[in-house]
Amino acid sequence: VHASSDEAWRFILTPVLWNASVDATLTDSGSGGGDLPIDPDYRFFSLENLDDYLSLKFEANRGRFGILFDSLRARYQDETGISIATFKVGTELGFTELSLRYQASDDTGIDLIAGVRRSFLDIDQALMVGTNTEKTTKYSFDWTDPLIGLRYHYAITDRWHAFLRGDIGGFDVSTQSMISVTADIQYLIHDRFSIAMGYRYLEIDFKEDEILYDVSLHGLQIAAGIHF
C-alpha cells in the first residue's frame, strides 16, 4: 500500500492572500537621473489603492520528487487631482516561479529546490489637464533568474504541519540578488482541503544598464489548499 501511494501523483492548488507591504525604488539615470519611489502603502485586507490582485500556488508530488509553481500579480493605482489637472500613477509587479524539489531522505523532511523565477514591473503615469487628451508615460521591465533553496516540513500531528522555506537567486544572471523566506502553519481539515497561515519576505535587487530596481515585500499570508 505504501509503495502504490508513493507512485501516485498528488496535487495541491492553493489561492493565497498575501497582506504584503511594499517598499521599492526605481532609479533611471538614463532619463535624467533621479528616483521613482514606489510607495503605495499597499495592504490587501484594507484594499487600499488595490486595483487588481492574483496569487496562486500549485504543487505536484510523486514520492520524493515534486514540481512547484508559485505566482503573484498585484496592481495598485493612486490618483491625485486639483481644480485643473488629474495625475494617476499605476504600479503592477509580480512574478511566476517554476521549481523542482527532491526529498533528501525518507528520514528527514528536507527538500532540495532548484528552479527559475520571472519577475516583472510596470509603472504607468497619466496626466490630464482640463479637457485635454491624457498624456501617459509607461515603464516596463521583466527578467528571469535561477534560484536554489531548501524546504523543511515537520508534521506536528496528523492534522497540523509546519513548513519553512528559504531560497536565494540572481547570481548576477539578471538580478544581483534575490532572497525569499516563507514560514507557514497548515491545518488539514480533511484529505481534500487545508488552510494555512504564515509570513513571507521577498527581496529583489535588479540592475540593467542604467536601471536600478530595489524592492522588498513582506507580510502575513493566508491560504486555502485544494488537494486532489
Side-chain angles (χ1 to χ4, degrees):
V1 173
H2 179 69
S4 62
S5 175
D6 284 347
E7 292 174 359
W9 282 99
R10 297 183 178 183
F11 307 96
I12 308 173
L13 178 63
T14 310
V16 181
L17 301 182
W18 185 14
N19 190 35
S21 61
V22 181
D23 182 14
T25 301
L26 173 67
T27 301
D28 185 2
S29 57
S31 63
D35 294 341
L36 295 174
I38 307 167
D39 187 16
D41 193 25
Y42 160 61
R43 300 289 190 279
F44 181 86
F45 296 143
S46 66
L47 302 181
E48 187 172 4
N49 295 336
L50 183 65
D51 189 51
D52 195 9
Y53 176 90
L54 177 65
S55 181
L56 286 174
K57 292 183 179 181
F58 179 76
E59 188 168 338
N61 295 304
R62 184 179 182 183
R64 290 189 180 184
F65 296 91
I67 302 171
L68 309 177
F69 173 82
D70 192 5
S71 65
L72 169 70
R73 176 178 177 267
R75 175 180 169 82
Y76 31 85
Q77 183 170 291
D78 197 9
E79 181 176 325
T80 59
I82 57 178
S83 58
I84 61 172
T86 301
F87 183 64
K88 295 186 293 186
V89 178
T91 304
E92 182 175 324
L93 58 83
F95 61 85
T96 56
E97 173 194 315
L98 184 63
S99 305
L100 300 178
R101 74 158 189 91
Y102 175 73
Q103 186 176 349
S105 70
D106 292 330
D107 300 329
T108 65
I110 298 178
D111 292 335
L112 308 177
I113 297 174
V116 293
R117 180 182 292 133
R118 176 187 173 272
S119 307
F120 64 89
L121 169 68
D122 294 327
I123 302 174
D124 52 87
Q125 302 171 334
L127 174 64
M128 185 170 65
V129 179
T131 58
N132 295 334
T133 304
E134 187 176 83
K135 296 181 179 180
T136 303
T137 303
K138 186 171 183 178
Y139 305 84
S140 296
F141 310 95
D142 62 83
W143 58 93
T144 303
D145 292 289
L147 65 90
I148 56 174
L150 298 173
R151 185 176 70 171
Y152 176 65
H153 168 221
Y154 178 70
I156 304 171
T157 67
D158 290 342
R159 295 290 183 182
W160 290 94
H161 296 259
F163 293 88
L164 178 63
R165 170 177 168 166
D167 62 69
I168 58 175
F171 311 112
D172 287 327
V173 175
S174 294
T175 300
Q176 275 55 52
S177 64
M178 182 171 50
I179 301 172
S180 178
V181 179
T182 306
D184 289 300
I185 296 292
Q186 180 194 69
Y187 178 70
L188 292 171
I189 298 176
H190 52 69
D191 293 340
R192 297 294 183 184
F193 189 74
S194 66
I195 57 175
M197 176 175 288
Y199 183 88
R200 182 169 192 175
Y201 175 84
L202 174 63
E203 179 180 316
I204 300 174
D205 294 327
F206 168 74
K207 184 177 182 180
E208 180 178 304
D209 298 327
E210 296 178 326
I211 302 297
L212 178 63
Y213 173 53
D214 299 320
V215 62
S216 64
L217 300 92
H218 51 90
L220 296 175
Q221 62 180 11
I222 59 175
I226 304 169
H227 303 242
F228 55 98

